[in-house]
Amino acid sequence: MARPVPDWVLTEWFTDVDLGVLKSGKEAEIRVVERSRRDGSGRHLLAQKRYRPRRVAYKGQLEELGFTRAATFRNDIGYREGRAPANSRDRRAVEKMSRHGKQVVAESWLGQEHDVLRSLWEVGAPVPFPVSFDDHGGLFLEYLGDDQGAAPRLAQARLSPPELRRAWDQLVEAMFLMVDAGWVHADLSAYNLLWWADRLWVIDVPQAVDLVGSTQGFELLHRDVVNVCGWFARHGLEVDAEVVFAELLGRIG
Ligand SMILES: Nc1ncnc2c1ncn2[C@@H]1O[C@H](COP(=O)(O)OP(=O)(O)OP(=O)(O)O)[C@@H](O)[C@H]1O
Ligand SMILES: [Mg+2]
């Protein structure tokens, strides 16, 4: 599949100029960066995401690791399942809260977001393409927007009834693709969906879980479906969460 960013963005010398913070949330900061080709023949906007690690294994873990406690701190073991540091040196480092340990934790969230985006992008799901890691614990993503501004979140997009219908159809298709790829978003809402170029885009995936490999996969999938169905129902669409959930389960071969 053709990447949505020009090749030079990944392969050639460039200069990045920070155009400022797009959104600074409790958990993440998104900046817009203008990347220019060194020979002056091209420019391309990118989104840069940096975030505090979240969704930890036990209450107090973040503080122990020296991170500031986020207002929306969640103590949900399901999110961490299967995300323990892979080797024993890393595991010991995390246990001892060494500098390396802190880094391992931070990087696992970053790596998870990158890997999930990449795997979803590869099956054709509407997600921003993960361009690369940056040197300071962040991730460059395909920017959804233009010079005038970033894509609105679904919750703020003020879609017309026909657009809303299209957004719904696209969301169902996106959920099918995510399930086919074996992922549950696990934080799906009108705030993690963007509307850009007449398309619905799914963002913010660091907490995604393995649908069948995680004990809470189906529960989280159901919660996601109920969440987004509720939003569309409140905006006038006749949608049935249980029907959609059953259709999704029917995709699992
Ligand atoms: N690739 C992108 N292109 C354009 N805008 C984006 C992109 N990624 C994120 N945003 C904007 O930044 C916001 C925050 O991003 P994201 O949802 O990934 O982080 P978060 O961890 O949920 O942060 P927050 O706590 O602020 O919601 C999004 O709601 C969206 O408005
Ligand atoms: Mg978000």
Side-chain angles (χ1 to χ4, degrees), residues 1 24 30-31 34 37 48-49 51 61 68 73 86-87 100 127 138 140 149 153 190 192 200 202 212 222 244 251:
M1 206 186 317
S24 182
I30 307 280
R31 294 174 165 274
E34 181 184 55
R37 202 173 185 176
Q48 185 179 26
K49 181 170 184 176
Y51 54 91
Q61 186 186 14
T68 315
F73 178 81
N87 65 55
H100 174 66
V127 294
F140 286 114
R153 293 184 280 182
N192 283 330
L200 190 80
V202 178
V212 289
H222 187 258
V244 176
R251 309 270 298 192

Side-chain angles (χ1 to χ4, degrees), residues 22-23 25-28 30 49 54-55 72 74 113 128 144 150-158 171 185-195 200-207 224 227-232 234-235:
L22 175 63
K23 187 161 180 302
K26 302 164 290 287
E27 297 171 333
I30 307 280
K49 181 170 184 176
R54 55 175 165 166
R55 291 136 194 184
T72 54
R74 278 182 248 192
E113 175 134 51
L144 303 167
R153 293 184 280 182
L154 180 62
Q156 281 107 30
R158 300 175 174 279
L171 176 58
H185 186 291
D187 194 15
L188 203 60
S189 77
Y191 294 93
N192 283 330
L193 295 168
L194 303 185
W195 182 251
L200 190 80
W201 298 80
V202 178
I203 62 161
D204 200 12
V205 300
Q207 71 294 319
D224 275 356
N227 252 351
V228 290
C229 283
W231 189 88
F232 277 92
R234 284 194 298 283
H235 288 76

Side-chain angles (χ1 to χ4, degrees), residues 154-184:
L154 180 62
Q156 281 107 30
R158 300 175 174 279
L159 301 190
S160 67
E163 285 175 329
L164 208 61
R165 180 81 234 171
R166 284 208 295 284
W168 169 253
D169 291 343
Q170 290 175 15
L171 176 58
V172 172
E173 179 62 27
M175 287 193 290
F176 282 168
L177 290 171
M178 286 191 277
V179 162
D180 291 351
W183 291 110
V184 181

Side-chain angles (χ1 to χ4, degrees), residues 2-247:
R3 284 192 294 254
V5 294
D7 279 348
W8 67 260
V9 164
L10 288 147
T11 58
E12 290 182 29
W13 289 102
F14 55 75
T15 312
D16 278 350
V17 175
D18 178 11
L19 300 186
V21 175
L22 175 63
K23 187 161 180 302
S24 182
K26 302 164 290 287
E27 297 171 333
E29 186 174 83
I30 307 280
R31 294 174 165 274
V32 182
V33 170
E34 181 184 55
R35 181 162 295 184
S36 302
R37 202 173 185 176
R38 276 279 168 90
D39 68 7
S41 68
R43 68 185 279 277
H44 195 82
L45 296 178
L46 296 171
Q48 185 179 26
K49 181 170 184 176
R50 291 188 186 158
Y51 54 91
R52 285 184 274 266
R54 55 175 165 166
R55 291 136 194 184
V56 295
Y58 56 91
K59 202 164 179 243
Q61 186 186 14
L62 276 188
E63 292 86 336
E64 283 175 15
L65 290 168
F67 294 107
T68 315
R69 182 176 174 148
T72 54
F73 178 81
R74 278 182 248 192
N75 178 35
D76 187 342
I77 193 124
Y79 284 127
R80 285 288 292 151
E81 215 172 274
R83 299 299 304 169
N87 65 55
S88 58
R89 176 171 173 259
D90 286 351
R91 216 163 26 240
R92 272 198 310 278
V94 170
E95 278 158 19
K96 291 201 329 243
M97 321 295 173
S98 66
R99 200 141 67 91
H100 174 66
K102 290 176 194 172
Q103 206 183 334
V104 167
V105 171
E107 283 172 1
S108 70
W109 306 111
L110 188 70
Q112 168 82 346
E113 175 134 51
H114 175 276
D115 294 353
V116 175
L117 285 176
R118 181 75 203 203
S119 106
L120 291 175
W121 181 81
E122 273 168 5
V123 297
V127 294
F129 177 73
V131 174
S132 66
F133 296 106
D134 69 26
D135 296 335
H136 314 282
L139 191 58
F140 286 114
L141 304 171
E142 175 188 0
Y143 168 67
L144 303 167
D146 58 22
D147 284 314
Q148 270 67 56
R153 293 184 280 182
L154 180 62
Q156 281 107 30
R158 300 175 174 279
L159 301 190
S160 67
E163 285 175 329
L164 208 61
R165 180 81 234 171
R166 284 208 295 284
W168 169 253
D169 291 343
Q170 290 175 15
L171 176 58
V172 172
E173 179 62 27
M175 287 193 290
F176 282 168
L177 290 171
M178 286 191 277
V179 162
D180 291 351
W183 291 110
V184 181
H185 186 291
D187 194 15
L188 203 60
S189 77
Y191 294 93
N192 283 330
L193 295 168
L194 303 185
W195 182 251
W196 184 248
D198 220 28
R199 300 273 322 157
L200 190 80
W201 298 80
V202 178
I203 62 161
D204 200 12
V205 300
Q207 71 294 319
V209 300
D210 187 325
L211 174 60
V212 289
S214 152
T215 49
Q216 293 184 39
F218 291 98
E219 208 178 300
L220 290 166
L221 178 65
H222 187 258
R223 193 180 70 181
D224 275 356
V225 172
V226 168
N227 252 351
V228 290
C229 283
W231 189 88
F232 277 92
R234 284 194 298 283
H235 288 76
L237 255 68
E238 275 185 34
V239 296
D240 186 330
E242 298 313 320
V243 170
V244 176
F245 185 58
E247 279 172 6

